[in-house]
Amino acid sequence: MRPKATTLTEQELAIMKIVWDLGEATVRQVYERLLEEREIAYTTVMTMMQVLERKGRLKKTQGEKAHVYRPSEAKQRVIGGMVQDFVNRVFNGSAEPLLLHLIEDNKLTAADIERLRKALKDKK
């Protein structure tokens, strides 16, 4: 059996962000939020949420009229796992080249850099 994937697909992540934001959601609620950004079929959202439940990312309970889905893990934990997986795969486990790349490509604002400085200072 394959180990549980730490990385979510783009569509799975979009759904999880909505559920994390709402705390709990029906397929209809997620579908309507996704429609604000792009065209998507209701059945696609329903299938993806069922997949996320099977993967253990969502928990489903029966509401009054529809199933209600809740995240099974905190957003920070899932995102942290995805970042760690990326760093491991792309940078052989070292975050330094990633940070240098972001700085050198001007992807970080002055405020971002200041927050990093503060975070590094607080770690000492």
Side-chain angles (χ1 to χ4, degrees):
M1 179 186 270
R2 277 181 17 190
K4 182 178 171 182
T6 56
T7 302
L8 298 169
T9 67
E10 185 177 344
Q11 217 167 11
E12 289 172 339
L13 184 57
I15 289 169
M16 289 302 300
K17 285 179 178 180
I18 293 168
V19 178
W20 282 318
D21 185 44
L22 297 174
E24 64 180 35
T26 63
V27 173
R28 171 76 49 200
Q29 289 171 308
V30 173
Y31 167 71
E32 288 173 358
R33 292 274 296 266
L34 287 172
L35 270 181
E36 294 171 7
E37 302 295 320
R38 61 188 161 106
E39 292 245 353
I40 190 165
Y42 178 87
T43 54
T44 300
V45 177
M46 182 173 61
T47 300
M48 292 301 302
M49 290 179 75
Q50 290 169 344
V51 167
L52 285 164
E53 180 195 11
R54 280 196 304 275
K55 288 182 172 183
R57 300 295 188 167
L58 291 174
K59 294 178 186 176
K60 177 175 71 174
T61 56
Q62 181 63 50
E64 284 185 38
K65 295 182 181 183
H67 289 111
V68 176
Y69 291 85
R70 290 175 183 79
S72 61
E73 296 175 278
K75 180 179 181 179
Q76 193 62 32
R77 180 182 171 130
V78 174
I79 300 293
M82 290 176 67
V83 169
Q84 188 61 54
D85 181 63
F86 176 78
V87 168
N88 288 342
R89 285 184 297 113
V90 178
F91 298 104
N92 297 321
S94 174
E96 180 186 357
L98 171 61
L99 290 171
L100 289 172
H101 174 77
L102 293 172
I103 292 166
E104 291 167 358
D105 278 5
N106 296 316
K107 301 292 183 191
L108 298 175
T109 66
D112 293 335
I113 293 169
E114 189 53 41
R115 281 193 298 277
L116 285 171
R117 277 193 184 112
K118 183 179 179 336
L120 288 170
K121 184 179 176 186
D122 290 348
K123 281 285 186 185
K124 289 182 181 182

